[in-house]
Amino acid sequence: MSPEYTKKTESQALYRAIAENTRDVILIMSKGKVSYTNDRIYDFLGYTREELGDRNYLDFVVPEDREKILSVAPLLRDLQNKSIEREFRIVCKDGSVRYIHSRFSPLYNADGDLLVVNTDITSIKQANERIEHAAQEWRTTFDAIRDMVWICDKDCVLTRVNKSFAAAAGREPRECIGKKCISLFQDAENICGKCPHHRVFTTKEPGNAVIFTRRRYFEMQVSPIFAVNNEVLTAICAIHDITEQRAMEDALRSAAQKWRTTFDSLGEAICLTDTRGTILQCNQAFADLAGKPFSDIVGHHCRKIIFNDTTSPTCPVEDLRNNRQRTTQTLQIGSRWFNMVGDVVTGENGEFSGTVLILSDITESKQAKEQVEQLYTLESELRKKLEIEIKQRTYFTRALVHELKTPLTSVVASSELLSEELKEDPWLSLARNIYSGALNLNNRIDELLDIARGEIGMLKLNIQPVDVTRLFHEVFTSVSPLAAANKQTLIADIDNIPVIMADENRLRQVLLNLLNNACKYTPAGGHISLCAHLENGQLLAEVIDNGKGIDKEDQKRIFQPYQRFETDKEHYSGLGLGLALSRMLVELHGGKIWVTSAKGTGSTFAFSIPASMNLLP
Ligand code: ADP
C-alpha cells in the first residue's frame, strides 16, 4: 500500500468519524444531489433510512424557504467559492417544524461538490422568541405605566424613558435618550438635591423620597440595576403623584382627630369592645370613671374595668353576642349610679363585630327622682289630710249656717211682721232696727256659706237668659235711697245691652256689693257712677267713686277673702268677704274683675264677662 493511499484512507476515516459523531447533519451535495449524509439526518427528520430512501431533501423544507436553498449554488459560483449560510425551516415526520442553520461550503474537487453542515437551532430560535416576547411585554408595560418611569446612569443620563416621562418632557421617548434629566425639566434643579438617585449608586439599596413641586406632592422611588460584576449599572426611577392621596390622608387624619375630640368631649363614658369584650377604645369620661390611664384600660376586658371582675351585675357583652339586642341596666360604681346601654357594633356585612357600652351618670336624677317620690308621698298624705279637713269644715259650716239661719229666719219674719203691724214709735223704730239687723246678719251668713262653697268648688251658677239693661237699672234704683241718705250723687250710664246668658241673682249680688262698697267708702257729697257697655263681645260693668281710694299694696290682695284694711276695721262693719265672693262669681261666669284706684281720689271697680258667646239667637 503506497503512503499516499494510506494517508488518503486515514483522512477519509477521520472525516467519517467526525461526521458520524457531530450533532449536526452533514451532507455532501454532488451535482445537485445528496451523495453522502451522516446518520443525524434520521434524528432531524424522524424517518428511518428505509423510509427516507432516495427522497429529495428539498421536499422536507417548508415551501416558502426552498428558494433560499436553491439560490445557494449560483451564489457560490459568483462569490468565488466562499461559504454561504442560510436559515430555513423543515417539516419533520411528526409534523413539527424545526429551524435549521446551514453552512454551504465548496469542497474544491473536480465535481464541484458542496459540504453542507446543518445545525438544529430550533431551541435557540424559541429561546430568542421568548426573550423577544418578554422584551415586548416589558416595553408595553413600561410605556403603559401612568407614572413617569425612566432609567439613567450615575450621571443622570437617560437610557430609557416611558411614554409618561416623554409626555411630561414634551418630547418623543427617543429624543430623551442620552440627555440628562435636568436638561428636560425646568424644576429638575430644585428636585435634584432631594432625589435619592445618587445615593442608590453608592448604597446599592433602593431609596425613596417625597418631593413637593408645582404645588403637588410626588413620591420618588429609585432602584439599582446591577451589572454582572455586581456594580450598579443604572437606576430605574419612578415618580408617583401622591397629592390626592396626601389630601385624603390629611382629611382622614383630621376626621379622626375631630372624632377623637368629640368622643372625648362627650359627657357619657363610652367604650368599644371586640366580640369577646376586650376594650379597643374608650373616651376621656370613661377613663375618668375607671380612674385609670388609657393604657391600663385598652386591651383589658370590660368586666375587669367596669365591674371589677365581679359577676353581679352581669357583663352585657355575652348577652349582646347571643341576642344582638340593645341592653339597658342600672349599676352602682362606688357611690355613684349609672345607666349603662350596651349595643351591637356590626361589620360591613352586618356581622357581629363588637359592642359599644355607654354609661350615663344618673346619680343626680336618681336622687331627684327619689326626692320627687318622697314629695309625692308627702303631698298625697297632705292632700288626704286636707280633704278630711275640708270635709270637716264643710260639715261645720253647714251645721253652723243651719244653726244660725234657723233661729234667724224666725227673727227676720217676726221683726218684719212687727214693723208692719206697729204704728207708733219707739216700738216701730225698734222693730225696724231688729228687722234690718236680722237681714244684715242673714246676708253675712249667706256670704260665709258661699265663700265656703266656692273654696271647695261647690258654688254653682244658675245660668238663664238675663236682660242686663233691666237688671242694671233695677239695682241702680234699689241703691239710690242709700246714696241719697248718704248725700251722695248716684248716676247711671247704662247702654242698651242685648240679653245674655248668666246667673241673674249672682250678677245682682256682685253689682250690689260694688255699689254698697262705693256708698260705704265715699264721703257725703261724693259722686258714684254705674256704667255698663258692650265691648269686644264682653259685658263691661264699672262702679266709679271719688271716695277714699285704695293704695297700691292693698289693691293686690283686695280680692282675697277676709281682707279688710286697718283704717276701715274701726269705722265700717263687714267681714272682708264681699269682693272675694264677687271675684268667685265673675270667674264662674268666665270673666274677670279688677280695681284701679289711687289713695284719696277714688276707685273704679270693674268686671267683664263674655257676652257674645252667650247671646240668645
Ligand atoms: P267688706 O265687707 O269689708 O266691705 P269687701 O270685700 O267688700 O269687704 O271689701 C274689702 C275691703 O276693701 C273693705 O274693707 C275696704 O277696706 C276696701 N274697699 C272696698 N271697696 C272700696 C271702695 N269703693 N273704696 C275704698 N275701699 C274699698
Side-chain angles (χ1 to χ4, degrees), residues 392-408:
Q392 286 173 345
R393 209 168 120 189
T394 314
Y395 175 77
F396 174 77
T397 312
R398 273 195 195 145
L400 182 71
V401 167
H402 178 76
E403 290 302 310
L404 291 174
K405 281 209 113 178
T406 313
L408 193 59

mmCIF file of all heavy atoms in Angstrom, residues 392-408:
data_model
loop_
_atom_site.group_PDB
_atom_site.id
_atom_site.type_symbol
_atom_site.label_atom_id
_atom_site.label_comp_id
_atom_site.label_asym_id
_atom_site.label_seq_id
_atom_site.Cartn_x
_atom_site.Cartn_y
_atom_site.Cartn_z
ATOM 1 N N GLN A 392 -114.534 68.238 106.963
ATOM 2 C CA GLN A 392 -114.941 68.631 108.321
ATOM 3 C C GLN A 392 -115.439 70.062 108.331
ATOM 4 O O GLN A 392 -116.462 70.416 108.947
ATOM 5 C CB GLN A 392 -113.760 68.494 109.280
ATOM 6 C CG GLN A 392 -113.458 67.032 109.598
ATOM 7 C CD GLN A 392 -112.190 66.877 110.414
ATOM 8 O OE1 GLN A 392 -111.396 67.809 110.504
ATOM 9 N NE2 GLN A 392 -112.010 65.694 110.988
ATOM 10 N N ARG A 393 -114.686 70.950 107.557
ATOM 11 C CA ARG A 393 -115.041 72.361 107.554
ATOM 12 C C ARG A 393 -116.406 72.573 106.898
ATOM 13 O O ARG A 393 -117.235 73.351 107.369
ATOM 14 C CB ARG A 393 -113.976 73.136 106.778
ATOM 15 C CG ARG A 393 -113.836 74.549 107.267
ATOM 16 C CD ARG A 393 -112.617 75.167 106.693
ATOM 17 N NE ARG A 393 -112.974 76.316 105.915
ATOM 18 C CZ ARG A 393 -112.135 76.978 105.133
ATOM 19 N NH1 ARG A 393 -110.914 76.547 105.032
ATOM 20 N NH2 ARG A 393 -112.508 78.034 104.481
ATOM 21 N N THR A 394 -116.591 71.850 105.771
ATOM 22 C CA THR A 394 -117.875 71.974 105.077
ATOM 23 C C THR A 394 -119.009 71.532 106.004
ATOM 24 O O THR A 394 -120.048 72.200 106.117
ATOM 25 C CB THR A 394 -117.870 71.074 103.817
ATOM 26 O OG1 THR A 394 -116.666 71.272 103.131
ATOM 27 C CG2 THR A 394 -119.035 71.368 102.912
ATOM 28 N N TYR A 395 -118.726 70.434 106.658
ATOM 29 C CA TYR A 395 -119.737 69.915 107.570
ATOM 30 C C TYR A 395 -120.037 70.943 108.671
ATOM 31 O O TYR A 395 -121.182 71.244 108.979
ATOM 32 C CB TYR A 395 -119.234 68.602 108.198
ATOM 33 C CG TYR A 395 -120.163 68.060 109.238
ATOM 34 C CD1 TYR A 395 -121.344 67.386 108.866
ATOM 35 C CD2 TYR A 395 -119.894 68.231 110.599
ATOM 36 C CE1 TYR A 395 -122.218 66.912 109.833
ATOM 37 C CE2 TYR A 395 -120.763 67.761 111.566
ATOM 38 C CZ TYR A 395 -121.928 67.095 111.188
ATOM 39 O OH TYR A 395 -122.776 66.640 112.134
ATOM 40 N N PHE A 396 -118.905 71.533 109.178
ATOM 41 C CA PHE A 396 -119.051 72.514 110.257
ATOM 42 C C PHE A 396 -119.826 73.744 109.773
ATOM 43 O O PHE A 396 -120.742 74.221 110.432
ATOM 44 C CB PHE A 396 -117.659 72.908 110.766
ATOM 45 C CG PHE A 396 -117.697 74.021 111.770
ATOM 46 C CD1 PHE A 396 -118.091 73.767 113.092
ATOM 47 C CD2 PHE A 396 -117.377 75.338 111.413
ATOM 48 C CE1 PHE A 396 -118.141 74.790 114.021
ATOM 49 C CE2 PHE A 396 -117.437 76.351 112.345
ATOM 50 C CZ PHE A 396 -117.816 76.079 113.654
ATOM 51 N N THR A 397 -119.408 74.239 108.557
ATOM 52 C CA THR A 397 -120.052 75.449 108.036
ATOM 53 C C THR A 397 -121.548 75.219 107.842
ATOM 54 O O THR A 397 -122.386 76.047 108.196
ATOM 55 C CB THR A 397 -119.401 75.861 106.702
ATOM 56 O OG1 THR A 397 -118.009 75.844 106.868
ATOM 57 C CG2 THR A 397 -119.857 77.235 106.262
ATOM 58 N N ARG A 398 -121.860 74.054 107.267
ATOM 59 C CA ARG A 398 -123.271 73.740 107.022
ATOM 60 C C ARG A 398 -124.038 73.687 108.334
ATOM 61 O O ARG A 398 -125.115 74.264 108.465
ATOM 62 C CB ARG A 398 -123.398 72.384 106.339
ATOM 63 C CG ARG A 398 -123.293 72.519 104.856
ATOM 64 C CD ARG A 398 -123.797 71.245 104.207
ATOM 65 N NE ARG A 398 -123.381 71.212 102.843
ATOM 66 C CZ ARG A 398 -123.040 70.120 102.202
ATOM 67 N NH1 ARG A 398 -123.026 68.970 102.837
ATOM 68 N NH2 ARG A 398 -122.713 70.156 100.955
ATOM 69 N N ALA A 399 -123.393 73.042 109.291
ATOM 70 C CA ALA A 399 -124.044 72.915 110.597
ATOM 71 C C ALA A 399 -124.232 74.286 111.232
ATOM 72 O O ALA A 399 -125.311 74.625 111.739
ATOM 73 C CB ALA A 399 -123.181 72.017 111.500
ATOM 74 N N LEU A 400 -123.144 75.123 111.081
ATOM 75 C CA LEU A 400 -123.194 76.466 111.671
ATOM 76 C C LEU A 400 -124.292 77.303 111.016
ATOM 77 O O LEU A 400 -125.107 77.943 111.696
ATOM 78 C CB LEU A 400 -121.825 77.149 111.490
ATOM 79 C CG LEU A 400 -121.679 78.533 112.094
ATOM 80 C CD1 LEU A 400 -121.649 78.453 113.619
ATOM 81 C CD2 LEU A 400 -120.433 79.228 111.592
ATOM 82 N N VAL A 401 -124.285 77.264 109.647
ATOM 83 C CA VAL A 401 -125.284 78.035 108.907
ATOM 84 C C VAL A 401 -126.691 77.574 109.309
ATOM 85 O O VAL A 401 -127.574 78.387 109.555
ATOM 86 C CB VAL A 401 -125.050 77.880 107.391
ATOM 87 C CG1 VAL A 401 -126.236 78.407 106.593
ATOM 88 C CG2 VAL A 401 -123.776 78.608 106.996
ATOM 89 N N HIS A 402 -126.832 76.275 109.403
ATOM 90 C CA HIS A 402 -128.131 75.734 109.779
ATOM 91 C C HIS A 402 -128.536 76.218 111.174
ATOM 92 O O HIS A 402 -129.651 76.713 111.367
ATOM 93 C CB HIS A 402 -128.081 74.197 109.739
ATOM 94 C CG HIS A 402 -129.364 73.574 110.151
ATOM 95 N ND1 HIS A 402 -130.480 73.532 109.312
ATOM 96 C CD2 HIS A 402 -129.741 72.974 111.316
ATOM 97 C CE1 HIS A 402 -131.455 72.957 109.949
ATOM 98 N NE2 HIS A 402 -131.052 72.596 111.167
ATOM 99 N N GLU A 403 -127.568 76.137 112.080
ATOM 100 C CA GLU A 403 -127.840 76.543 113.468
ATOM 101 C C GLU A 403 -128.184 78.017 113.559
ATOM 102 O O GLU A 403 -129.018 78.429 114.351
ATOM 103 C CB GLU A 403 -126.618 76.241 114.360
ATOM 104 C CG GLU A 403 -126.365 74.764 114.611
ATOM 105 C CD GLU A 403 -127.564 74.065 115.265
ATOM 106 O OE1 GLU A 403 -128.070 74.586 116.270
ATOM 107 O OE2 GLU A 403 -128.009 73.024 114.728
ATOM 108 N N LEU A 404 -127.474 78.837 112.713
ATOM 109 C CA LEU A 404 -127.694 80.288 112.794
ATOM 110 C C LEU A 404 -128.954 80.692 112.038
ATOM 111 O O LEU A 404 -129.681 81.568 112.446
ATOM 112 C CB LEU A 404 -126.489 81.048 112.214
ATOM 113 C CG LEU A 404 -125.185 80.968 113.030
ATOM 114 C CD1 LEU A 404 -124.054 81.632 112.276
ATOM 115 C CD2 LEU A 404 -125.366 81.655 114.384
ATOM 116 N N LYS A 405 -129.118 80.062 110.841
ATOM 117 C CA LYS A 405 -130.209 80.512 109.971
ATOM 118 C C LYS A 405 -131.596 80.129 110.503
ATOM 119 O O LYS A 405 -132.551 80.874 110.334
ATOM 120 C CB LYS A 405 -130.023 79.948 108.559
ATOM 121 C CG LYS A 405 -128.998 80.727 107.786
ATOM 122 C CD LYS A 405 -129.276 80.698 106.306
ATOM 123 C CE LYS A 405 -129.656 82.031 105.765
ATOM 124 N NZ LYS A 405 -129.899 82.152 104.393
ATOM 125 N N THR A 406 -131.663 78.970 111.150
ATOM 126 C CA THR A 406 -132.979 78.517 111.622
ATOM 127 C C THR A 406 -133.594 79.534 112.605
ATOM 128 O O THR A 406 -134.700 80.024 112.347
ATOM 129 C CB THR A 406 -132.851 77.124 112.259
ATOM 130 O OG1 THR A 406 -132.092 76.322 111.372
ATOM 131 C CG2 THR A 406 -134.196 76.460 112.506
ATOM 132 N N PRO A 407 -132.835 79.932 113.656
ATOM 133 C CA PRO A 407 -133.467 80.955 114.535
ATOM 134 C C PRO A 407 -133.602 82.305 113.863
ATOM 135 O O PRO A 407 -134.560 83.052 114.083
ATOM 136 C CB PRO A 407 -132.504 81.025 115.741
ATOM 137 C CG PRO A 407 -131.222 80.440 115.287
ATOM 138 C CD PRO A 407 -131.529 79.497 114.146
ATOM 139 N N LEU A 408 -132.620 82.594 112.960
ATOM 140 C CA LEU A 408 -132.634 83.932 112.346
ATOM 141 C C LEU A 408 -133.851 84.115 111.441
ATOM 142 O O LEU A 408 -134.422 85.209 111.380
ATOM 143 C CB LEU A 408 -131.346 84.110 111.525
ATOM 144 C CG LEU A 408 -131.033 85.529 111.077
ATOM 145 C CD1 LEU A 408 -130.901 86.464 112.286
ATOM 146 C CD2 LEU A 408 -129.753 85.556 110.257
#
